[in-house]
Amino acid sequence: MNFADLGLSPELLKAVNDAGYTEPTAIQAAAIPSVLMMRDMIGIAQTGTGKTASFVLPMIDILAQGRSRARMPRSLILEPTRELAAQVAENFVKYGANHKLSMALLIGGVSMGDQTAALEKGVDVLIATPGRLMDLFGRGKILLTGCSLLVIDEADRMLDMGFIPDIEEICTKLPKTRQTLLFSATMPAPIKRLADKFLTNPKTIEVSRPASSNLNITQYLVPVDGQRAKQTRLRALLAQPEVESAIIFCNRKTTVRDLNKSLKQYRYRSGEIHGDMEQSERIAELDRFKAGEINILVASDVAARGLDIKGVSHVFNFDAPWHPDDYVHRIGRTGRAGATGVAYTLIAAEDAENIANIEKLTGQTIERLGAAAAPSEAREEAPAERAPRRGRGRAAANSVEAPELSTEEAPPQAEPVARAPREARPPREARVPRETRAPREARPPRDTDAPRRDEPRRDERPYRRDERADGPEAKDDGGWNGPIPGFLSATILG
């Protein structure tokens, strides 16, 4: 079967051929005819199966007839993240090259003024995240009464991110007579209730078992012992010649930053994306990865969910995912569009329960690699910024390498002072017990004429002359047991 058999227009077929596609995927072949027939549909497919094109292509042909009006989009696509929304927009630009359709992208991190200006002109396709859409709707900048086609993409991810209440409210503001398409990798109970409430007699298309992993992806579990060993093993895996490009997933944003910094110190061409970055920064980093300026992308789940990047050869789970569904989405970044890929998951002892849940969900036992065959730290190229390790405290001082001196240059060593054996030394004077001392009242009065300890004594002593001025015949001043050394003298300039 080819795209011409699906009922698409010649203009759309030309755009598809120009993009380099000839045969539809399973979800595309099953979904496109149903969408063109204006039926509600539930599409259950794992990531990387081409489900985005399964609704973008028929939407372009459906919207080719008609005219947009100001602030009243004709169709609405809801995406859970900014990156997914931007990715769908790229698909519309690519496949709609031969159509004159207007489009607006409503996502956070982008100027709201530009978005409202696009809405004022009228758009055929509105691609939005629920938060920004609700914000503009509350400001009265958008009307949904003219929307005849609704797409809810990545519905299970919407559930994870807490967007289901927003989606329900958005659905109540749309016309009741509309076409609704819902796509999800899994079908948990809340998503099933959502579909039952807002879809009318939908056709369910399931191209693979829910939550099953892509058969084109070779999967491995890599046991490690501790965080330091995890980084060492990761670098050994990245050093394999077959690793052309890779995405590394971490559970926390702080881990993303720290790991990317470490990889850069070891001279890897790596970048990072996470939720704390501005949208413009995340897009710029993705563009660098797609252009090949960097070949390793360290990412958090929220930032990288659903990313469609061609040519990713490997996926590394630096942290085992907490939720089994996240594992399926993570490794789905490789092995896309019929290509093959490899996924490694670094696991510690505390990850046993998470891995058991993943294997239960996917219905397969993941192969475990043996002991690490990583190169030793000494054989790795040291980071550019890292200084040689030193000891601490007194050990550090002793570890400093001093230049060797010849026998003639070596300073003379003072002979050690001979000390009497301990048993031959005279005993210390016994201390007077406190109870044998005289009471304070019975002690003799203090001699007030005697100099106090805190009074300066140097004023009562005769002036000392400089040894250099008086020569070796200098006399003792009574307070010094010898001539004053020259380095202690002060010369007064007159």
Side-chain angles (χ1 to χ4, degrees):
M1 178 182 290
N2 53 41
F3 282 101
D5 299 327
L6 302 180
L8 298 173
S9 65
E11 295 84 2
L12 193 56
L13 290 175
K14 183 178 184 305
V16 172
N17 291 330
D18 292 343
Y21 299 106
T22 56
E23 296 183 0
T25 63
I27 184 65
Q28 293 167 2
I32 289 176
S34 297
V35 178
L36 290 174
M37 294 173 61
M38 306 301 294
R39 288 196 59 180
D40 286 5
M41 190 189 69
I42 297 174
I44 303 175
Q46 61 192 16
T47 57
T49 56
K51 62 181 176 63
T52 301
S54 68
F55 63 83
V56 168
L57 294 177
M59 282 181 67
I60 292 175
D61 269 352
I62 292 173
L63 297 172
Q65 305 297 326
R67 183 176 62 88
S68 61
R69 291 181 289 176
R71 294 191 296 171
M72 296 181 66
R74 299 172 59 200
S75 63
L76 172 63
I77 301 175
L78 294 175
E79 297 288 346
T81 65
R82 306 169 184 178
E83 286 74 22
L84 276 174
Q87 181 176 296
V88 173
E90 291 178 1
N91 277 264
F92 267 101
V93 172
K94 177 171 58 177
Y95 298 127
N98 301 319
H99 292 75
K100 297 181 179 179
L101 295 177
S102 57
M103 178 187 63
L105 184 62
L106 301 187
I107 57 176
V110 180
S111 171
M112 189 175 291
D114 296 339
Q115 295 174 351
T116 55
L119 291 172
E120 287 292 341
K121 297 178 182 178
V123 295
D124 297 297
V125 182
L126 179 61
I127 307 169
T129 53
R132 177 53 65 95
L133 178 64
M134 294 297 295
D135 189 1
L136 288 175
F137 186 87
R139 296 169 183 260
K141 302 294 184 181
I142 184 173
L143 298 173
L144 298 177
T145 54
C147 182
S148 60
L149 199 161
L150 170 65
V151 178
I152 304 173
D153 194 19
E154 297 280 354
D156 53 347
R157 187 59 176 170
M158 295 278 197
L159 175 65
D160 294 341
M161 299 178 69
F163 286 144
I164 297 301
D166 290 340
I167 293 175
E168 291 180 343
E169 185 175 355
I170 291 170
C171 288
T172 60
K173 302 182 185 305
L174 294 168
K176 291 185 178 180
T177 56
R178 67 174 186 273
Q179 182 182 11
T180 303
L181 312 176
L182 185 146
F183 291 87
S184 182
T186 60
M187 189 56 62
I191 302 302
K192 183 66 169 60
R193 289 194 295 268
L194 179 70
D196 293 341
K197 185 176 181 180
F198 294 106
L199 275 69
T200 303
N201 190 25
K203 180 178 180 180
T204 300
I205 298 174
E206 184 175 353
V207 298
S208 63
R209 185 171 50 83
S212 64
S213 56
N214 194 327
L215 298 179
N216 292 333
I217 303 174
T218 305
Q219 305 168 53
Y220 297 104
L221 297 178
V222 185
V224 293
D225 185 15
Q227 195 74 7
R228 183 176 178 83
K230 186 182 288 189
Q231 290 200 17
T232 303
R233 191 70 194 275
L234 174 65
R235 291 194 297 269
L237 294 172
L238 289 172
Q240 298 175 108
E242 58 267 24
V243 179
E244 300 173 358
S245 62
I247 299 179
I248 305 174
F249 286 98
C250 305
N251 289 343
R252 296 180 175 87
K253 292 175 284 189
T254 54
T255 309
V256 172
R257 290 189 288 262
D258 294 343
L259 180 58
N260 181 44
K261 181 179 179 181
S262 174
L263 291 174
K264 286 184 175 179
Q265 288 177 341
Y266 279 88
R267 295 182 175 87
Y268 285 96
R269 294 186 295 118
S270 64
E272 65 184 62
I273 56 171
H274 51 78
D276 284 347
M277 298 172 64
E278 294 292 335
Q279 178 66 13
S280 57
E281 296 175 328
R282 289 153 70 172
I283 292 176
E285 203 75 347
L286 286 173
D287 289 342
R288 292 180 60 208
F289 186 65
K290 292 178 181 179
E293 296 180 24
I294 57 176
N295 68 332
I296 298 174
L297 187 64
V298 189
S300 62
D301 281 310
V302 173
R305 182 70 175 245
L307 290 181
D308 186 10
I309 303 174
K310 295 181 180 180
V312 177
S313 63
H314 288 69
V315 165
F316 295 89
N317 290 313
F318 186 77
D319 297 319
W322 291 318
H323 304 290
D325 288 345
D326 287 336
Y327 176 82
V328 178
H329 287 280
R330 284 182 180 187
I331 68 172
R333 301 312 102 206
T334 185
R336 302 177 73 85
T340 59
V342 181
Y344 291 97
T345 302
L346 305 178
I347 59 172
E350 59 269 19
D351 298 320
E353 183 178 355
N354 293 337
I355 298 302
N357 293 333
I358 290 171
E359 292 181 332
K360 180 180 180 181
L361 182 70
T362 58
Q364 63 182 115
T365 301
I366 306 174
E367 181 181 352
R368 285 162 171 77
L369 295 183
S376 64
E377 290 287 347
R379 296 169 62 183
E380 278 190 290
E381 186 176 1
E385 295 83 4
R386 181 175 296 179
R389 291 183 60 85
R390 300 288 189 186
R392 293 185 177 181
R394 185 173 301 175
N398 295 336
S399 65
V400 177
E401 296 182 0
E404 296 184 1
L405 299 177
S406 63
T407 307
E408 294 79 7
E409 296 174 343
Q413 300 290 331
E415 296 183 3
V417 179
R419 301 183 65 184
R422 182 176 295 275
E423 54 275 5
R425 300 177 195 171
R428 293 184 178 180
E429 184 178 358
R431 187 174 182 179
V432 179
R434 181 178 294 274
E435 56 273 10
T436 60
R437 299 180 186 176
R440 185 177 296 275
E441 308 82 44
R443 297 177 190 176
R446 182 177 179 178
D447 185 5
T448 56
D449 295 333
R452 296 181 54 167
R453 290 185 180 180
D454 54 351
E455 291 179 358
R457 297 177 55 189
R458 60 185 301 176
D459 294 340
E460 301 176 4
R461 298 175 183 174
Y463 178 74
R464 298 197 293 257
R465 300 286 296 176
D466 188 352
E467 178 188 42
R468 290 176 299 180
D470 295 346
E473 302 295 331
K475 296 182 179 180
D476 189 1
D477 63 0
W480 188 269
N481 294 328
I484 301 175
F487 68 88
L488 291 178
S489 63
T491 304
I492 302 177
L493 302 177

